[in-house]
Amino acid sequence: SRSLCTVVCKWTYTSDGGWDDSFWKMIGLEDLVKDKYEKIGNHVLSPGEAVGKGLTPEAAKDLGLPEGIAVAASLIDAHAGGLGVIGADVKGHNLPCENQPITSRLAMICGTSSCHMGVSETPIFVPGVWGPYFSAMIPGLWLNEGGQSATGRLIDHVVRGHVAFPELQSKAAASAHSIYTYLNSHLDLIKKSLPVGFLTVDFHVWPDFHGNRSPLTDLTLKGMVVGLTLSRGLDELALIYLATIQAIALGTRHILETMQAAGHDIKTLFLCGGLSKNPLFVQMHADITGKPVVLSKEVESVLVGAAILGACASGDFASIQEAMAKMGKIGRVVQPNHEHKRFYDKKYEVFLKLVEHQREYRSIMSS
């Protein structure tokens, strides 16, 4: 059995038309069409549907679980994270998405890279954003999936590659904190009377060190840093760390604005994954997008999504929607600081100029 999520998002399957024979023939893989697609699977199930007769005797023995226990058709990891967080009951938190359809929410799964998952009732084609895919995450809804190819990996790269990293490491160890908790407190120390984010007034980063996935879909783009000096201490490391986090959040705003321009109406962000544990990362996303951020009570929302599928396959819930509302729980809500809007609007203006300039430089050099 194959999951509809995988074959629709990563292959060329559609829920109404099935496999596209012409595609396989065009690329010289027509043998995959033989025997009713036996090689690539022709039994496609919606995520959360029960597979076969449950766990086989061999698998049950290996896993130490009861034979026949329900097994659900799966989701891709980020999509499971979206499922684990996007449908939570938000009553009583005074959020703009309360009493609004789930289409007013965007799930962000933030780890090594980031995914931005939004759903709609009708198909919306968004330039530079994958999809729309029908029933790929939530049954009956179309999914659009934006993404940034390096986020946690980029922050790590910038911090660990800095000359002051050994000093940061030893100071963080001495204070029994993680390097990122230590950096956040160091920023609080050097900001004086300014809001932390304002420290980067002369320091700007374009974050596509590994190309741009959304919304520009340009793998040839490179990273950019503007505002370097000869200083090489912990203050400068904290500054480039902050500017990198802001650049990632500005990239999210770029994706969000592209989705909104195409027809999405997103009012609230739902964050999960490793980076959602970093309060600076979360606050910057709220301030820069101007939207409230909802954090899941359970940080490992991908596992919650997988559990939701299992609970549906075993018949504990009648639908994915019911399971999402009952099993996804809200932890904390982070509101944007609207007083800082003008500053971040200016940062965003610079952000868009950076990529414009990069393309200008390329055009000069290519001629």
Side-chain angles (χ1 to χ4, degrees), residues 24-192:
W24 300 116
K25 288 169 184 162
M26 192 193 301
I27 64 168
L29 289 176
E30 55 269 17
D31 61 308
L32 298 182
V33 174
K34 283 179 195 160
D35 302 320
K36 295 185 178 167
Y37 316 99
E38 193 192 8
K39 286 182 182 175
I40 51 172
N42 55 17
H43 186 234
V44 177
L45 298 175
S46 285
E49 271 193 79
V51 176
K53 293 175 180 163
L55 209 56
T56 62
E58 301 82 9
K61 187 163 170 283
D62 287 347
L63 295 166
L65 291 168
E67 185 184 327
I69 197 169
V71 174
S74 62
L75 280 168
I76 297 162
D77 52 359
H79 300 58
L83 198 67
V85 73
I86 202 171
D89 183 357
V90 297
K91 280 189 191 76
H93 287 271
N94 197 27
L95 284 162
C97 64
E98 191 177 335
N99 303 319
Q100 293 285 319
I102 201 167
T103 52
S104 68
R105 307 176 180 196
L106 183 88
M108 272 185 69
I109 299 86
C110 318
T112 308
S113 58
S114 292
C115 282
H116 305 68
M117 323 285 271
V119 290
S120 57
E121 286 178 12
T122 54
I124 298 174
F125 289 83
V126 186
V129 171
W130 295 353
Y133 306 125
F134 186 64
S135 283
M137 186 170 81
I138 299 170
L141 294 176
W142 294 84
L143 171 73
N144 279 116
E145 182 191 340
Q148 291 163 296
S149 51
T151 49
R153 176 74 182 87
L154 176 62
I155 296 166
D156 227 29
H157 172 79
V158 165
V159 169
R160 290 177 185 275
H162 196 276
V163 70
F165 180 67
E167 183 192 346
L168 168 65
Q169 225 173 0
S170 62
K171 285 188 170 172
S175 69
H177 284 122
S178 77
I179 55 173
Y180 296 114
T181 302
Y182 189 88
L183 273 176
N184 291 351
S185 62
H186 190 77
L187 283 165
D188 280 332
L189 203 66
I190 61 176
K191 74 181 174 73
K192 301 189 174 70

